Amino acid sequence: HGSTANFLNLHRVQSGRLEVHLLPTAIRSLVLDTLLILRPMAEAKQLRVSLQIDFPPEQRVCVRADPECLALILSNLISNAIKYTPNGGAITIRVSRELAGSALACCSVEDTGIGITPQERERILSGSYRTEEGREAAGGFGIGLMLIEELLAKHGSRLELESEVGKGSRFHFCLPLWEAA
């Protein structure tokens, strides 16, 4: 049902019906909630999942984001990492400041998965294209990244992708910290 939900959400975004309400959104708890939901999927593949939050534990890190949209973005990126990482691989989710003293919090999802060629990267970020290996590794519409791009655009952000075939991929995006507003 996840793909159907994505498809409906994508349609809502593109038809302008998905309102984005920017609120102070606690990114730490959102990431933890997402990991809790996706843990069984990762455990089934014996993946090592680690979370690095480069903010002091007592600091409540709030970003300017729509909590529902951000939850959707995170669950898409993390579930993709799980799907495309072979059994026994590793996934690292990191929340950090873009630069010391900057007003941006960045979130990255890195995996030791199948990786993406530069040619495929262009096509993946442009729409519903999926790599051959990706189609074999996971079902679905392949519109997750297109949806993420649309949602991040509504937040004034964009998805960055670094990847090496056979070594894995790293997706990341930045959002403004709320206190800087």
Side-chain angles (χ1 to χ4, degrees), residues 20-43:
V20 171
H21 303 286
L22 299 177
L23 303 167
T25 302
I27 193 163
R28 192 192 308 254
S29 55
L30 212 51
V31 171
L32 289 169
D33 290 351
T34 306
L35 285 175
L36 205 59
I37 294 163
L38 296 173
R39 182 191 282 160
M41 212 172 129
E43 283 175 353

Side-chain angles (χ1 to χ4, degrees), residues 9-83:
N9 283 318
L10 180 68
H11 183 70
R12 281 170 58 206
V13 171
Q14 290 177 330
S15 62
R17 278 202 292 273
L18 188 69
E19 292 283 309
V20 171
H21 303 286
L22 299 177
L23 303 167
T25 302
I27 193 163
R28 192 192 308 254
S29 55
L30 212 51
V31 171
L32 289 169
D33 290 351
T34 306
L35 285 175
L36 205 59
I37 294 163
L38 296 173
R39 182 191 282 160
M41 212 172 129
E43 283 175 353
K45 294 182 77 176
Q46 285 135 11
L47 301 179
R48 290 185 311 285
V49 178
S50 55
L51 173 60
Q52 298 173 350
I53 306 227
D54 301 344
F55 285 92
E58 68 283 357
Q59 187 182 348
R60 192 163 173 263
V61 186
C62 285
V63 291
R64 277 175 98 71
D66 181 303
E68 275 182 42
C69 289
L70 189 52
L72 199 63
I73 291 165
L74 289 168
S75 66
N76 250 297
L77 288 176
I78 297 168
S79 65
N80 275 349
I82 294 169
K83 280 185 213 164

